[in-house]
Amino acid sequence: MSVDTHSMEIREIILDRIAGILQEKYAEPVHDLSEESITAQLAFKGDPHLNELRLALERMRRGDYGRCIFCKCGIDEEVLRHSPTAHFCTRCANMLRYRTRAVQS
């Protein structure tokens, strides 16, 4: 899969999730799944899930989507499909979980 096809697929996943939240939580029908239309509907929402999805779209526009915020390596495509707002690669996510458990012990 090319990078452009991958990005378009993930963008559609994000837009679908935003539309689902808008419809289910706010009873706002989404007639147009364009990024511009959905972004306009998000303008006055303080929902943390919607905000994370909106920020993922912003990272796509900036060109740094899909990169781990710690090591800057790419995040696995399957991880992004399942969790399009992921900030960490698998290695860094595992390390963070390990450190969190160690601190809690």
Side-chain angles (χ1 to χ4, degrees):
M1 177 183 303
S2 73
V3 173
D4 290 340
T5 303
H6 167 71
S7 295
M8 289 176 61
E9 180 182 343
I10 299 296
R11 178 176 276 114
E12 290 303 314
I13 290 170
I14 292 170
L15 292 172
D16 285 342
R17 288 191 184 183
I18 290 171
I21 292 169
L22 288 171
Q23 290 172 345
E24 293 169 18
K25 189 170 182 177
Y26 297 98
E28 290 186 17
V30 177
H31 303 291
D32 179 5
L33 279 178
S34 72
E35 191 170 335
E36 296 78 21
S37 173
I38 287 182
T39 300
Q41 286 185 269
L42 295 178
F44 299 103
K45 303 287 186 289
D47 187 292
H49 294 8
L50 286 174
N51 194 45
E52 280 292 315
L53 292 163
R54 183 187 58 76
L55 291 172
L57 290 173
E58 180 60 31
R59 289 192 306 275
M60 282 183 164
R61 279 191 291 277
R62 286 193 317 252
D64 59 358
Y65 179 80
R67 297 261 171 232
C68 177
I69 62 173
F70 283 155
C71 71
K72 306 301 183 210
C73 289
I75 299 172
D76 185 63
E77 187 176 318
E78 284 305 311
V79 170
L80 292 172
R81 277 197 184 109
H82 181 264
S83 180
T85 60
H87 294 282
F88 309 107
C89 67
T90 303
R91 186 177 66 85
C92 290
N94 288 337
M95 186 173 27
L96 183 61
R97 277 192 289 277
Y98 174 77
R99 287 182 178 175
T100 301
R101 279 193 302 260
V103 169
Q104 292 173 350
S105 297

